[in-house]
Amino acid sequence: MCMKMTLKVGITGGIGSGKSTVCRIFEVLGIPVYYADERAKWLMHNDPKLIEGIKSAFGEATYHPDNTLNRPYLADLVFNDKEKLKILNSLVHPAVFQDGLDWNEVHGDTAYTLKEAAILFESGSYLTVDKIITVFAPKELRIERVLQRDNTDKAAIEARMSKQMPEEEKIERSDFVIYNDGEQSLIEQVLEVHKTLLSQSENFTSS
Ligand code: ATP
C-alpha cells in the first residue's frame, strides 16, 4: 500500500554561504525548518542521555555544577584531537538524528520540511533526506560576511573552511543549488525551488 509522505529536504553550504538567510525565506513561505547545528547545541544542554554520554567520555568537568556545558573546555579537548572529535560526534549525531525524526513527526502535515546543517554530508544526515539543496557563495564573499557577522578573524574562518567538504563536491551531490553571490536574486531562486518541491511533494509516497 502507498502512503502519502512529507518530503524531507536537506539544505547545506559552507560557513557564511547564507544557509540560515535562505532558510528564513523558506520559513516566510510557511515551510518548517529544523536547524541541526542550533539543535545539537540545545541537546548538549538539555538531553539527559547525551549529557551522561559526554560526561562519561570526557569527564565531569565538561559540565559546570549547574549542568550547563563547559563549552571552551570541551572545544579545547576536541579541537586538535581527531579521535576525541570522533567520539563526540558519535554521541551528538545520533541524538540529533533521533530529535530530527521526532521533529518530522510533528510536521507530518506540511508539503515538505527543511533540515539545515552545515555538515549534512559529513555527518551522514544526507541519508535521512529525500532532496538536497546547496547554498553557494564565493569564498571571499563568505569570509567578508562572516567577518561582519562574528567576532572572529580571517585565519579562524579559513581554518573552519578547510575542515568542511569542498563546495564543488556538495554541489555535485545536490538536487538544487542556490547561488548567494550577490548577483542573482535570492528570493527568485528560492521561489523557483519552492515551486518545484511543492510539485514533487504532490506525488511523494512510500510503499
Ligand atoms: P554559518 O554556517 O556560519 O552559520 P550560514 O551559511 O548560515 O553561516 P548566514 O548566517 O545565513 O550563513 O549568512 C552569513 C552572513 O552573511 C549573515 O550575517 C547574513 O546576514 C549575511 N548574508 C547572507 N546572505 C546575504 C546577502 N545575499 N546579502 C548580504 N548579506 C548576506
Side-chain angles (χ1 to χ4, degrees):
M1 195 179 78
C2 282
M3 257 176 63
K4 179 88 181 67
M5 298 282 288
T6 299
L7 189 68
K8 297 190 202 71
V9 183
I11 180 161
T12 190
I15 173 173
S17 57
K19 296 176 293 298
S20 307
T21 307
V22 167
C23 285
R24 304 281 179 234
I25 305 175
F26 278 104
E27 281 183 319
V28 171
L29 297 170
I31 300 304
V33 181
Y34 181 87
Y35 293 93
D37 301 345
E38 279 172 27
R39 200 61 195 164
K41 284 181 198 152
W42 187 88
L43 289 167
M44 286 166 85
H45 278 101
N46 294 282
D47 178 342
K49 194 170 152 221
L50 178 59
I51 293 172
E52 263 329 295
I54 292 173
K55 277 185 185 169
S56 53
F58 302 105
E60 290 288 324
T62 41
Y63 283 83
H64 297 295
D66 66 357
N67 241 0
T68 55
L69 181 66
N70 187 342
R71 185 167 289 282
Y73 177 82
L74 184 61
D76 253 8
L77 281 182
V78 300
F79 192 74
N80 283 315
D81 189 328
K82 279 193 178 157
E83 267 319 298
K84 286 203 171 82
L85 182 61
K86 223 163 140 183
I87 295 170
L88 180 62
N89 285 340
S90 73
L91 294 165
V92 175
H93 292 165
V96 178
F97 175 76
Q98 185 55 50
D99 186 61
L101 290 181
D102 297 345
W103 182 88
N104 264 313
E105 292 273 305
V106 175
H107 295 283
D109 57 347
T110 45
Y112 68 94
T113 57
L114 274 184
K115 181 181 210 179
E116 191 238 47
I119 53 165
L120 189 81
F121 290 110
E122 297 90 328
S123 68
S125 48
Y126 72 98
L127 295 167
T128 68
V129 295
D130 308 299
K131 299 282 171 190
I132 298 173
I133 303 169
T134 287
V135 180
F136 174 82
K139 188 177 171 197
E140 288 310 315
L141 192 53
R142 289 161 59 202
I143 293 174
E144 206 179 290
R145 286 174 178 163
V146 176
L147 280 175
Q148 278 195 5
R149 187 192 59 185
D150 300 343
N151 180 21
T152 185
D153 58 53
K154 194 172 172 190
I157 301 168
E158 285 182 330
R160 283 179 62 190
M161 282 178 165
S162 71
K163 290 191 173 148
Q164 297 183 335
M165 178 185 280
E167 302 306 287
E168 298 71 29
E169 193 177 337
K170 287 181 195 140
I171 288 175
E172 217 163 275
R173 296 171 67 172
S174 297
D175 301 282
F176 304 93
V177 183
I178 292 178
Y179 293 90
N180 186 19
D181 53 7
E183 302 281 331
Q184 304 171 60
S185 160
L186 214 47
I187 294 176
E188 276 174 28
Q189 293 180 81
V190 171
L191 286 175
E192 194 58 38
V193 172
H194 179 61
K195 216 168 84 184
T196 308
L197 286 171
L198 283 182
S199 72
Q200 291 180 346
S201 74
E202 298 260 303
N203 311 313
F204 189 66
T205 54
S206 110
S207 45

